Amino acid sequence: MNTGKRMTRQRRIILDDIRKNRIHPTADEVYKSVRKRLPRISLGTVYRNLDLLARTGEIRKISIAGKQMRFDGDKSDHMHITCVRCGKLTDIPDDPRYCDVCRETLADSGFVLQSVSVELFGVCPDCREDEDEER
Amino acid sequence: MNTGKRMTRQRRIILDDIRKNRIHPTADEVYKSVRKRLPRISLGTVYRNLDLLARTGEIRKISIAGKQMRFDGDKSDHMHITCVRCGKLTDIPDDPRYCDVCRETLADSGFVLQSVSVELFGVCPDCREDEDEER
DNA sequence: TTACTTGCAAATCATTTGCAAACGT
DNA sequence: ACGTTTGCAAATGATTTGCAAGTAA
Protein backbone atom coordinates (compact mmCIF):
# COMPACT_ATOMS: atom_id res chain seq x y z
CA MET A 1 0.00 0.00 0.00
CA ASN A 2 3.03 2.31 0.30
CA THR A 3 3.08 4.14 -3.01
CA GLY A 4 5.54 6.85 -2.09
CA LYS A 5 2.59 9.19 -1.86
CA ARG A 6 0.87 10.59 1.16
CA MET A 7 -2.23 9.02 2.60
CA THR A 8 -4.35 12.06 3.21
CA ARG A 9 -7.70 12.07 4.94
CA GLN A 10 -9.42 12.70 1.62
CA ARG A 11 -7.60 9.89 -0.14
CA ARG A 12 -8.31 7.39 2.60
CA ILE A 13 -11.99 8.19 2.67
CA ILE A 14 -12.33 8.07 -1.12
CA LEU A 15 -10.61 4.70 -1.27
CA ASP A 16 -12.75 3.42 1.57
CA ASP A 17 -15.92 4.63 -0.13
CA ILE A 18 -15.10 2.92 -3.42
CA ARG A 19 -14.23 -0.34 -1.73
CA LYS A 20 -17.51 -0.37 0.14
CA ASN A 21 -19.63 1.06 -2.64
CA ARG A 22 -20.21 -1.80 -5.03
CA ILE A 23 -22.03 0.24 -7.66
CA HIS A 24 -19.16 1.11 -10.01
CA PRO A 25 -19.67 4.81 -9.26
CA THR A 26 -18.80 7.77 -11.48
CA ALA A 27 -16.50 10.49 -10.15
CA ASP A 28 -19.55 12.59 -9.39
CA GLU A 29 -21.22 9.79 -7.46
CA VAL A 30 -18.07 9.31 -5.39
CA TYR A 31 -18.02 13.06 -4.78
CA LYS A 32 -21.63 13.09 -3.57
CA SER A 33 -21.09 10.07 -1.35
CA VAL A 34 -17.81 11.23 0.15
CA ARG A 35 -19.21 14.66 0.91
CA LYS A 36 -21.29 13.13 3.67
CA ARG A 37 -18.05 12.61 5.58
CA LEU A 38 -16.04 15.48 4.12
CA PRO A 39 -18.45 18.31 3.32
CA ARG A 40 -15.72 20.64 2.07
CA ILE A 41 -14.01 18.25 -0.35
CA SER A 42 -13.90 19.47 -3.95
CA LEU A 43 -14.71 17.56 -7.11
CA GLY A 44 -11.21 18.29 -8.37
CA THR A 45 -9.73 16.49 -5.39
CA VAL A 46 -11.97 13.50 -6.06
CA TYR A 47 -10.83 13.35 -9.68
CA ARG A 48 -7.17 13.72 -8.72
CA ASN A 49 -7.41 10.94 -6.15
CA LEU A 50 -9.39 8.57 -8.32
CA ASP A 51 -6.77 9.01 -11.00
CA LEU A 52 -3.90 8.48 -8.60
CA LEU A 53 -5.50 5.43 -6.96
CA ALA A 54 -6.09 3.93 -10.39
CA ARG A 55 -2.49 4.56 -11.44
CA THR A 56 -1.14 2.93 -8.28
CA GLY A 57 -3.48 0.01 -8.86
CA GLU A 58 -5.62 0.33 -5.74
CA ILE A 59 -8.80 0.71 -7.77
CA ARG A 60 -9.78 0.11 -11.38
CA LYS A 61 -10.88 2.68 -13.90
CA ILE A 62 -13.67 1.44 -16.16
CA SER A 63 -13.79 3.47 -19.33
CA ILE A 64 -16.54 2.82 -21.80
CA ALA A 65 -16.68 4.75 -25.05
CA GLY A 66 -18.99 7.73 -24.90
CA LYS A 67 -19.76 7.24 -21.22
CA GLN A 68 -18.44 8.79 -18.05
CA MET A 69 -15.55 7.10 -16.31
CA ARG A 70 -16.54 4.62 -13.60
CA PHE A 71 -14.45 3.23 -10.78
CA ASP A 72 -14.25 -0.22 -9.27
CA GLY A 73 -12.81 -1.16 -5.90
CA ASP A 74 -12.74 -4.82 -6.86
CA LYS A 75 -9.32 -5.44 -8.37
CA SER A 76 -9.89 -9.11 -9.16
CA ASP A 77 -9.98 -10.16 -12.82
CA HIS A 78 -13.45 -9.67 -14.17
CA MET A 79 -15.26 -7.94 -17.01
CA HIS A 80 -18.38 -5.83 -17.19
CA ILE A 81 -21.56 -5.82 -19.23
CA THR A 82 -23.65 -2.68 -19.65
CA CYS A 83 -27.43 -2.98 -19.81
CA VAL A 84 -28.61 -1.01 -22.83
CA ARG A 85 -31.98 -0.48 -21.15
CA CYS A 86 -31.20 0.68 -17.61
CA GLY A 87 -27.50 1.49 -17.99
CA LYS A 88 -26.47 -0.64 -15.02
CA LEU A 89 -22.99 -2.17 -15.05
CA THR A 90 -22.77 -5.82 -14.01
CA ASP A 91 -19.70 -7.90 -13.18
CA ILE A 92 -19.10 -11.04 -15.18
CA PRO A 93 -16.24 -13.51 -14.87
CA ASP A 94 -13.16 -12.93 -16.98
CA ASP A 95 -12.63 -15.17 -19.94
CA PRO A 96 -8.99 -15.69 -20.93
CA ARG A 97 -9.97 -16.90 -24.37
CA TYR A 98 -10.32 -13.28 -25.54
CA CYS A 99 -6.61 -12.76 -25.39
CA ASP A 100 -5.95 -16.06 -27.15
CA VAL A 101 -8.25 -15.05 -29.98
CA CYS A 102 -6.64 -11.61 -30.20
CA ARG A 103 -3.17 -13.01 -30.32
CA GLU A 104 -4.13 -15.33 -33.14
CA THR A 105 -5.90 -12.54 -35.02
CA LEU A 106 -2.80 -10.38 -34.82
CA ALA A 107 -0.29 -13.18 -35.42
CA ASP A 108 0.87 -11.96 -38.82
CA SER A 109 0.03 -8.30 -38.56
CA GLY A 110 3.37 -7.23 -37.17
CA PHE A 111 1.70 -5.72 -34.12
CA VAL A 112 2.74 -6.50 -30.56
CA LEU A 113 -0.44 -6.78 -28.54
CA GLN A 114 -0.41 -4.76 -25.35
CA SER A 115 -3.97 -4.82 -24.07
CA VAL A 116 -7.49 -5.74 -25.02
CA SER A 117 -10.61 -3.99 -23.88
CA VAL A 118 -13.85 -5.89 -24.34
CA GLU A 119 -17.09 -4.03 -23.77
CA LEU A 120 -20.29 -6.05 -23.69
CA PHE A 121 -23.77 -4.62 -24.14
CA GLY A 122 -27.04 -6.42 -23.61
CA VAL A 123 -30.32 -6.52 -21.75
CA CYS A 124 -30.08 -7.45 -18.08
CA PRO A 125 -32.39 -10.02 -16.47
CA ASP A 126 -34.50 -7.34 -14.74
CA CYS A 127 -35.09 -5.36 -17.92
CA ARG A 128 -35.85 -8.56 -19.85
CA GLU A 129 -38.64 -9.26 -17.40
CA ASP A 130 -40.05 -5.79 -17.86
CA GLU A 131 -39.96 -6.31 -21.61
CA ASP A 132 -41.91 -9.51 -21.31
CA GLU A 133 -44.55 -7.87 -19.13
CA GLU A 134 -45.11 -5.20 -21.76
CA ARG A 135 -46.51 -7.73 -24.17
CA MET B 1 -28.32 5.63 -50.70
CA ASN B 2 -31.85 7.00 -50.23
CA THR B 3 -32.17 7.51 -46.52
CA GLY B 4 -35.42 9.40 -46.55
CA LYS B 5 -33.42 12.54 -45.89
CA ARG B 6 -32.16 15.19 -48.25
CA MET B 7 -28.82 14.86 -49.94
CA THR B 8 -27.43 18.32 -49.45
CA ARG B 9 -24.21 19.60 -50.97
CA GLN B 10 -22.58 19.50 -47.53
CA ARG B 11 -23.71 15.95 -46.83
CA ARG B 12 -22.55 14.67 -50.21
CA ILE B 13 -19.13 16.24 -49.87
CA ILE B 14 -18.65 14.97 -46.31
CA LEU B 15 -19.59 11.43 -47.35
CA ASP B 16 -17.32 11.64 -50.36
CA ASP B 17 -14.45 12.88 -48.23
CA ILE B 18 -14.77 10.07 -45.69
CA ARG B 19 -14.95 7.43 -48.39
CA LYS B 20 -11.78 8.71 -50.05
CA ASN B 21 -9.96 9.56 -46.85
CA ARG B 22 -8.72 6.27 -45.49
CA ILE B 23 -7.28 7.69 -42.29
CA HIS B 24 -10.21 7.14 -39.89
CA PRO B 25 -10.53 10.89 -39.39
CA THR B 26 -11.92 12.72 -36.38
CA ALA B 27 -14.81 15.18 -36.85
CA ASP B 28 -12.31 18.00 -36.78
CA GLU B 29 -10.14 16.40 -39.44
CA VAL B 30 -13.18 15.95 -41.66
CA TYR B 31 -14.05 19.60 -41.03
CA LYS B 32 -10.58 20.80 -42.03
CA SER B 33 -10.54 18.60 -45.13
CA VAL B 34 -14.05 19.46 -46.30
CA ARG B 35 -13.43 23.18 -45.85
CA LYS B 36 -11.15 23.10 -48.89
CA ARG B 37 -14.26 22.55 -50.97
CA LEU B 38 -16.82 24.29 -48.73
CA PRO B 39 -15.04 27.16 -46.97
CA ARG B 40 -18.16 28.33 -45.15
CA ILE B 41 -19.24 24.97 -43.70
CA SER B 42 -19.48 24.90 -39.91
CA LEU B 43 -18.16 22.29 -37.50
CA GLY B 44 -21.70 21.83 -36.20
CA THR B 45 -22.86 20.80 -39.65
CA VAL B 46 -20.01 18.32 -39.90
CA TYR B 47 -20.99 16.77 -36.57
CA ARG B 48 -24.66 16.63 -37.50
CA ASN B 49 -23.91 14.94 -40.82
CA LEU B 50 -21.40 12.48 -39.45
CA ASP B 51 -23.96 11.47 -36.89
CA LEU B 52 -26.74 11.13 -39.44
CA LEU B 53 -24.57 9.20 -41.91
CA ALA B 54 -23.55 6.83 -39.12
CA ARG B 55 -27.17 6.33 -38.07
CA THR B 56 -28.25 5.53 -41.62
CA GLY B 57 -25.30 3.15 -41.94
CA GLU B 58 -23.38 4.92 -44.69
CA ILE B 59 -20.31 5.28 -42.51
CA ARG B 60 -19.10 3.77 -39.26
CA LYS B 61 -18.48 5.57 -36.00
CA ILE B 62 -15.42 4.29 -34.19
CA SER B 63 -15.63 5.16 -30.53
CA ILE B 64 -12.73 4.32 -28.30
CA ALA B 65 -12.91 5.08 -24.58
CA GLY B 66 -11.28 8.36 -23.69
CA LYS B 67 -10.54 9.26 -27.29
CA GLN B 68 -12.25 11.46 -29.84
CA MET B 69 -14.78 9.85 -32.14
CA ARG B 70 -13.39 8.65 -35.47
CA PHE B 71 -15.21 7.83 -38.66
CA ASP B 72 -14.72 5.08 -41.20
CA GLY B 73 -16.05 5.02 -44.76
CA ASP B 74 -15.31 1.30 -45.01
CA LYS B 75 -18.46 -0.49 -43.94
CA SER B 76 -17.11 -4.01 -44.34
CA ASP B 77 -16.68 -6.11 -41.20
CA HIS B 78 -13.35 -5.37 -39.64
CA MET B 79 -11.85 -4.32 -36.33
CA HIS B 80 -9.23 -1.78 -35.37
CA ILE B 81 -6.05 -1.73 -33.34
CA THR B 82 -4.66 1.47 -31.86
CA CYS B 83 -0.91 1.94 -31.69
CA VAL B 84 -0.05 3.03 -28.16
CA ARG B 85 3.07 4.77 -29.45
CA CYS B 86 1.91 6.82 -32.45
CA GLY B 87 -1.86 6.64 -31.95
CA LYS B 88 -2.51 5.42 -35.48
CA LEU B 89 -5.59 3.28 -36.07
CA THR B 90 -5.07 0.20 -38.24
CA ASP B 91 -7.66 -2.11 -39.80
CA ILE B 92 -7.51 -5.78 -38.94
CA PRO B 93 -9.79 -8.55 -40.12
CA ASP B 94 -12.84 -9.37 -38.05
CA ASP B 95 -12.76 -12.49 -35.96
CA PRO B 96 -16.17 -14.06 -35.33
CA ARG B 97 -14.82 -16.09 -32.43
CA TYR B 98 -15.20 -13.09 -30.14
CA CYS B 99 -18.95 -13.35 -30.25
CA ASP B 100 -18.83 -17.09 -29.67
CA VAL B 101 -16.69 -16.57 -26.58
CA CYS B 102 -19.01 -13.82 -25.34
CA ARG B 103 -22.08 -15.88 -25.81
CA GLU B 104 -20.57 -18.74 -23.83
CA THR B 105 -19.38 -16.38 -21.10
CA LEU B 106 -22.85 -14.97 -20.71
CA ALA B 107 -24.71 -18.25 -21.13
CA ASP B 108 -25.99 -18.47 -17.57
CA SER B 109 -25.93 -14.80 -16.60
CA GLY B 110 -29.47 -14.10 -17.73
CA PHE B 111 -28.26 -11.36 -20.07
CA VAL B 112 -29.23 -11.16 -23.72
CA LEU B 113 -26.11 -10.10 -25.59
CA GLN B 114 -26.69 -7.23 -27.95
CA SER B 115 -23.25 -6.12 -29.06
CA VAL B 116 -19.59 -6.54 -28.34
CA SER B 117 -16.94 -3.91 -28.76
CA VAL B 118 -13.37 -5.12 -28.79
CA GLU B 119 -10.61 -2.54 -28.66
CA LEU B 120 -7.07 -3.68 -29.24
CA PHE B 121 -3.97 -1.75 -28.24
CA GLY B 122 -0.42 -2.54 -29.21
CA VAL B 123 2.75 -1.35 -30.89
CA CYS B 124 2.56 -1.09 -34.68
CA PRO B 125 5.30 -2.45 -36.97
CA ASP B 126 6.70 1.04 -37.68
CA CYS B 127 7.00 1.95 -34.01
CA ARG B 128 8.50 -1.44 -33.20
CA GLU B 129 11.26 -0.72 -35.69
CA ASP B 130 11.92 2.67 -34.09
CA GLU B 131 12.10 0.97 -30.71
CA ASP B 132 14.69 -1.49 -31.99
CA GLU B 133 16.82 1.30 -33.46
CA GLU B 134 16.92 3.05 -30.12
CA ARG B 135 18.98 0.25 -28.64
C1' DT C 1 -44.57 24.63 -50.22
C1' DT C 2 -42.63 23.05 -46.18
C1' DA C 3 -40.03 20.12 -43.56
C1' DC C 4 -35.19 19.46 -43.38
C1' DT C 5 -30.61 21.85 -43.07
C1' DT C 6 -27.43 25.23 -42.58
C1' DG C 7 -24.03 28.71 -40.30
C1' DC C 8 -23.26 30.90 -36.29
C1' DA C 9 -22.64 31.37 -31.57
C1' DA C 10 -23.57 30.02 -27.19
C1' DA C 11 -24.30 26.06 -24.17
C1' DT C 12 -23.17 21.66 -22.24
C1' DC C 13 -20.73 18.18 -19.79
C1' DA C 14 -17.01 15.64 -18.01
C1' DT C 15 -12.63 16.40 -16.77
C1' DT C 16 -8.36 19.12 -15.94
C1' DT C 17 -5.56 22.80 -14.27
C1' DG C 18 -3.32 27.10 -11.85
C1' DC C 19 -2.71 28.88 -7.61
C1' DA C 20 -2.02 30.09 -2.81
C1' DA C 21 -2.94 28.00 1.49
C1' DA C 22 -2.84 23.71 4.27
C1' DC C 23 -1.00 19.36 5.34
C1' DG C 24 1.65 14.73 5.93
C1' DT C 25 5.91 12.73 6.84
C1' DA D 1 11.19 21.93 6.44
C1' DC D 2 9.74 20.01 2.34
C1' DG D 3 7.37 18.52 -1.35
C1' DT D 4 2.59 16.94 -1.79
C1' DT D 5 -2.13 17.85 -1.69
C1' DT D 6 -6.09 20.62 -1.05
C1' DG D 7 -10.25 23.84 -2.16
C1' DC D 8 -11.64 26.99 -5.23
C1' DA D 9 -12.57 28.77 -9.56
C1' DA D 10 -11.53 29.17 -14.09
C1' DA D 11 -10.08 26.65 -18.29
C1' DT D 12 -10.37 23.00 -21.42
C1' DG D 13 -11.93 20.18 -25.29
C1' DA D 14 -15.20 17.54 -27.63
C1' DT D 15 -19.70 17.61 -28.82
C1' DT D 16 -24.46 19.50 -28.90
C1' DT D 17 -28.04 22.82 -29.40
C1' DG D 18 -31.21 27.10 -30.33
C1' DC D 19 -32.32 29.95 -33.77
C1' DA D 20 -33.36 32.54 -37.92
C1' DA D 21 -32.32 32.20 -42.69
C1' DG D 22 -31.58 29.07 -46.68
C1' DT D 23 -32.56 24.98 -49.52
C1' DA D 24 -33.94 20.26 -51.51
C1' DA D 25 -37.84 17.70 -52.89
Side-chain angles (χ1 to χ4, degrees):
Chain A
M1 185 95 104
N2 177 17
T3 65
K5 306 285 166 134
R6 292 178 192 163
M7 185 47 67
T8 59
R9 192 161 148 61
Q10 289 85 337
R11 189 163 300 156
R12 190 167 352 92
I13 289 177
I14 288 170
L15 180 54
D16 184 63
D17 189 89
I18 297 218
R19 288 206 171 133
K20 288 198 178 124
N21 226 337
R22 319 267 50 197
I23 60 160
H24 309 102
T26 61
D28 201 66
E29 285 165 348
V30 173
Y31 173 58
K32 285 201 179 75
S33 169
V34 157
R35 249 199 319 181
K36 289 175 204 147
R37 289 205 261 165
L38 292 172
R40 301 193 57 75
I41 196 170
S42 77
L43 185 54
T45 297
V46 172
Y47 269 105
R48 277 183 291 229
N49 277 298
L50 290 172
D51 189 63
L52 187 145
L53 291 168
R55 276 189 284 108
T56 61
E58 321 230 34
I59 64 176
R60 271 178 57 185
K61 213 177 229 187
I62 309 170
S63 63
I64 294 180
K67 303 267 179 64
Q68 288 173 66
M69 242 21 144
R70 291 186 169 275
F71 300 87
D72 194 341
D74 178 359
K75 292 182 287 180
S76 73
D77 267 355
H78 65 281
M79 330 197 318
H80 299 103
I81 180 164
T82 305
C83 176
V84 295
R85 283 286 220 106
C86 67
K88 200 175 57 195
L89 219 62
T90 304
D91 293 327
I92 51 174
D94 202 17
D95 195 318
R97 286 173 297 175
Y98 287 113
C99 278
D100 300 344
V101 173
C102 293
R103 239 169 273 283
E104 285 175 46
T105 309
L106 290 174
D108 41 37
S109 69
F111 267 89
V112 178
L113 185 64
Q114 190 184 79
S115 65
V116 183
S117 149
V118 180
E119 293 169 17
L120 305 179
F121 300 91
V123 183
C124 75
D126 290 351
C127 289
R128 260 193 91 184
E129 244 171 60
D130 296 348
E131 253 169 30
D132 292 343
E133 278 165 23
E134 279 161 26
R135 303 247 165 79
Chain B
M1 182 99 104
N2 178 18
T3 65
K5 305 287 168 127
R6 293 178 191 161
M7 185 46 67
T8 59
R9 194 161 147 59
Q10 289 83 339
R11 190 163 301 159
R12 191 169 350 94
I13 289 177
I14 288 170
L15 180 54
D16 185 63
D17 189 90
I18 297 219
R19 288 203 171 136
K20 289 198 177 124
N21 226 339
R22 319 266 52 197
I23 60 159
H24 310 101
T26 61
D28 201 68
E29 284 166 347
V30 173
Y31 173 59
K32 285 202 178 75
S33 170
V34 157
R35 252 202 314 183
K36 290 177 202 145
R37 290 203 261 166
L38 293 171
R40 301 192 56 75
I41 198 172
S42 77
L43 184 55
T45 297
V46 172
Y47 270 105
R48 278 184 288 232
N49 277 297
L50 289 173
D51 190 62
L52 188 146
L53 291 168
R55 275 189 285 111
T56 60
E58 320 233 33
I59 64 175
R60 271 178 57 187
K61 213 176 229 189
I62 310 170
S63 63
I64 296 180
K67 303 265 178 67
Q68 286 174 68
M69 244 16 149
R70 293 186 168 272
F71 300 87
D72 194 342
D74 178 359
K75 292 181 286 181
S76 73
D77 266 356
H78 65 280
M79 331 196 316
H80 299 105
I81 180 164
T82 304
C83 177
V84 295
R85 283 286 220 106
C86 67
K88 200 175 59 195
L89 219 63
T90 304
D91 294 326
I92 52 174
D94 202 17
D95 196 317
R97 286 174 297 176
Y98 287 113
C99 279
D100 300 342
V101 173
C102 292
R103 237 169 276 282
E104 285 176 46
T105 308
L106 290 174
D108 40 36
S109 70
F111 267 89
V112 179
L113 186 63
Q114 188 184 79
S115 64
V116 182
S117 150
V118 179
E119 293 168 18
L120 304 179
F121 300 90
V123 183
C124 76
D126 289 352
C127 288
R128 259 194 93 184
E129 242 172 61
D130 295 349
E131 254 171 28
D132 291 344
E133 277 164 22
E134 278 161 26
R135 305 249 163 76

